[in-house]
């Protein structure tokens, strides 16, 4: 065993210890999260010098162990999975999840002591009515999740033994995270796969908090690992969580180069739209209410209409009035999408997807670390490590508060990475030109 392998192994053991402590959710969670990310970066750096075979083994085995740390405790920093469990239970009773909020008395026969405990004083409780509280967040509003996510919640409910509580959702998140690891390992190699395998966001958000974003990430990764079926898989990803829509322009990279490649556009967009429509159709037919659920209310609640309310558009607001920020964000995002459609490399669609997905987070600055799981997976595919700072910035915002500084540093890191890569490409072009001149002179 090489010296670098031992160093990486020791670093991963320290990372596992920190992740286990994080899973039990202490008040001082942010410092430990930063330590975990520091160990993660050190492990990635040291792994560059490892022998290929030892690195492959350590990436897969270490990735499985790191992922499994999310299973050691109940959800520590998010209550979203309680809504998932409730939506699955409601559907198993033959009721559309879009028709009733959890607080509706019509669903009271489905309540139990886990999701509706007697103690209303705990920090993860929301009051439903006099003497009734729940672990489900926003119990007074309808569900927000798209249809494929709802189908997943129902499947987990069916497959999970009664009384398992959160464990089925966490196990599902772990299996999907490992599936992404294996897909990346086979498709991009162990060096790239390590970016996903050891990332602290994976056990924390995909497994411990069991966020449904993991299903969307898995489908996007599979979409970019194939050519046929890419549009359908991206449509399924969007039907699981809307954020994967940011990967769609990547699949259309370069379609505006030298004209409009209508066939390529149709080959991606038509199957994607068809899958989205087909997944929504059963719920449209059985639901009395809107299948959009609380989506539009959520956008307003999160402050995207009033930037200063929740720290949105934090980077843009450093250089312009608050009232300009939403319009500037939309304009800049449109320009990024247009750049990908015009100049993106169709042979590397994940590169365009990373540019759009990462730009969305930098421009709108949401304070949810699980939104960046897609960015982490796309970094593993593309290799532009500077975008990992975007994932860390969301976690800082979620655990600590306004993330203006974190997102600003992440944006500067991305710009620095772009400048370095551009300088390297220019130097390479100059060196090749000089070599050709020397060859011609001879």
């Amino acid at each position: 065993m090489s010296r670098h392998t031992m160093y990486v192994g020791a670093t991963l053991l320290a990372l596992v210890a920190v992740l286990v402590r994080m899973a039990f959710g202490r008040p001082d969670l942010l410092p430990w999260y930063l330590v975990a990310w520091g160990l993660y970066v050190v492990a990635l750096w040291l792994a560059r010098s490892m022998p290929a075979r030892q690195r492959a083994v350590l990436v897969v085995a270490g990735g499985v162990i790191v992922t499994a740390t999310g299973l050691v405790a109940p959800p520590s920093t998010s209550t979203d999975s309680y809504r998932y469990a409730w939506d699955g239970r409601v559907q198993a009773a033959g009721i559309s999840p879009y028709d009733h909020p959890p607080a509706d008395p019509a669903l009271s026969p489905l309540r139990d002591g886990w999701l509706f405990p007697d103690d209303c004083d705990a920090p993860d409780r929301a009051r439903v009515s006099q003497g009734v509280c729940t672990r489900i967040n926003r119990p007074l509003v309808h569900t927000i999740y798209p249809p494929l996510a709802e189908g997943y919640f129902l499947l987990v409910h069916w497959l999970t033994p009664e009384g398992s509580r959160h464990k089925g959702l966490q196990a599902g998140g772990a299996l999907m995270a490992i599936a992404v690891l294996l897909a990346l390992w086979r498709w991009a190699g162990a060096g790239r796969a390590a970016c996903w395998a050891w990332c602290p966001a994976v056990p924390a958000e995909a497994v411990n908090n069991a966020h449904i974003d993991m299903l969307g990430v898995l489908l996007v990764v599979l979409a970019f690992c194939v050519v046929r079926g890419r549009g359908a898989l991206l449509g399924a990803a969007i039907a699981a969580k809307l954020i994967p829509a940011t990967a769609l322009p990547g699949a259309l990279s370069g379609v505006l180069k030298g004209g409009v490649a209508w066939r390529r556009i149709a080959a991606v967009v038509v199957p994607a739209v068809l899958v989205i429509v087909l997944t929504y159709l059963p719920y449209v037919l059985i639901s009395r209410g809107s299948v959009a659920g609380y989506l539009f209310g959520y956008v307003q609640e999160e402050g995207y209409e009033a930037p200063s309310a929740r720290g949105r558009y934090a980077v843009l607001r450093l250089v312009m009035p608050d009232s300009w920020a939403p319009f500037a964000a939309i304009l800049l995002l449109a320009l990024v999408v247009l750049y990908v459609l015009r100049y993106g490399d169709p042979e590397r669609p994940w590169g365009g997807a990373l540019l759009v997905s990462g730009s969305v987070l930098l421009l709108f600055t949401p304070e949810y670390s699980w939104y960046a799981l897609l960015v982490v997976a796309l970094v593993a595919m593309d290799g532009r490590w500077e975008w990992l700072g975007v994932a860390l910035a969301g976690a800082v915002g979620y655990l600590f508060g306004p993330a203006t500084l974190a997102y600003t540093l992440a944006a500067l890191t991305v710009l620095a990475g772009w400048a370095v890569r551009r300088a390297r490409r220019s130097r390479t072009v100059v060196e090749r030109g000089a070599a050709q001149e020397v060859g011609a002179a001879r």
Side-chain angles (χ1 to χ4, degrees):
M1 182 181 296
S2 72
R3 181 179 61 181
H4 280 92
T5 301
M6 291 188 291
Y7 288 160
V8 173
T11 304
L12 290 180
L13 286 176
L15 175 60
V16 167
V18 172
L19 291 172
V20 169
R21 188 198 187 281
M22 286 170 50
F24 288 96
R26 299 295 191 269
D28 55 345
L29 195 58
L30 179 60
W32 288 101
Y33 202 83
L34 295 176
V35 169
W37 271 81
L39 292 169
Y40 164 61
V41 171
V42 170
L44 289 178
W45 180 262
L46 292 174
R48 297 165 67 247
S49 303
M50 286 176 59
R53 180 172 296 182
Q54 294 178 14
R55 180 170 57 188
V57 172
L58 203 53
V59 165
V60 175
V64 171
I65 295 172
V66 166
T67 299
T69 61
L71 299 170
V72 301
S76 58
T77 58
S78 172
T79 57
D80 285 358
S81 60
Y82 299 124
R83 169 73 81 156
Y84 305 166
W86 175 253
D87 282 2
R89 183 182 301 177
V90 168
Q91 292 177 87
I95 303 169
S96 169
Y98 299 104
D99 282 347
H100 306 273
D104 193 328
L107 301 182
S108 58
L110 301 179
R111 297 174 181 174
D112 66 357
W114 172 49
L115 292 177
F116 291 83
D118 295 330
D119 181 14
C120 292
D121 296 327
D124 64 342
R125 308 288 196 270
R127 191 171 296 278
V128 174
S129 59
Q130 185 63 34
V132 180
C133 59
T134 181
R135 286 188 167 92
I136 303 170
N137 59 39
R138 301 181 181 88
L140 302 179
V141 301
H142 294 73
T143 191
I144 193 177
Y145 298 103
L148 196 63
E150 294 294 343
Y152 171 76
F153 303 153
L154 177 59
L155 178 63
V156 172
H157 177 85
W158 279 341
L159 296 178
T160 303
E162 187 175 353
S164 297
R165 300 186 177 186
H166 57 273
K167 295 183 179 66
L169 290 162
Q170 288 184 334
L175 291 175
M176 289 188 290
I178 292 172
V180 168
L181 164 59
L182 295 177
L184 292 172
W185 176 73
R186 180 175 180 180
W187 181 86
R192 294 278 185 83
C195 177
W196 173 267
W198 303 336
C199 182
V202 175
E205 305 302 350
V207 184
N208 183 255
N209 291 318
H211 283 291
I212 189 58
D213 298 66
M214 190 59 248
L215 177 56
V217 172
L218 173 61
L219 291 167
V220 169
V221 169
L222 293 178
F224 286 133
C225 287
V226 301
V227 176
R228 291 187 177 183
R230 177 171 294 168
L233 286 167
L234 288 174
I238 297 169
K241 190 71 184 280
L242 298 182
I243 291 176
T246 59
L248 193 58
L252 300 173
S253 294
V255 295
L256 299 183
K257 184 182 298 183
V260 181
W262 292 110
R263 281 192 174 184
R264 278 192 57 210
I265 294 174
V268 173
V269 174
V270 172
V273 172
L274 185 60
V275 168
I276 293 171
V277 170
L278 291 177
T279 54
Y280 266 104
L281 184 60
Y283 288 98
V284 170
L285 295 176
I286 67 173
S287 301
R288 296 194 302 270
S290 169
V291 293
Y294 185 58
L295 177 61
F296 300 110
Y298 177 80
V299 171
Q300 185 175 8
E301 175 189 316
E302 287 296 303
Y304 290 106
E305 297 179 358
S308 60
R310 293 290 300 273
R312 302 299 176 249
Y313 316 102
V315 178
L316 292 176
R317 287 166 54 210
L318 291 174
V319 295
M320 64 181 60
D322 288 1
S323 59
W324 295 11
F327 304 102
I330 294 171
L331 175 61
L332 290 172
L333 180 60
L335 291 175
V336 169
V337 171
L338 183 62
Y339 174 85
V340 170
L341 297 180
R342 178 68 177 84
Y343 300 104
D345 185 354
E347 299 299 321
R348 297 177 59 84
W350 47 87
L354 174 59
L355 180 58
V356 176
S357 301
S359 296
V360 167
L361 299 184
L362 286 177
L363 292 171
F364 294 88
T365 60
E367 294 171 352
Y368 297 117
S369 51
W370 52 94
Y371 284 8
L373 286 171
L374 178 59
V375 170
V376 176
L378 292 172
V379 168
M381 300 190 83
D382 192 60
R384 285 180 285 176
W385 312 106
E386 60 269 21
W387 285 96
L388 287 173
V390 178
L392 178 57
V396 171
Y398 185 68
L399 297 173
F400 185 69
T404 302
L405 177 60
Y407 270 116
T408 302
L409 292 175
L412 293 174
T413 301
V414 169
L415 290 175
W418 170 81
V420 169
R421 294 177 190 280
R422 183 178 177 86
R424 286 178 178 174
R425 285 196 297 268
S426 300
R427 186 165 59 249
T428 300
V429 170
V430 171
E431 290 174 351
R432 286 178 179 174
Q436 290 174 357
E437 290 179 0
V438 171
R442 290 178 179 177

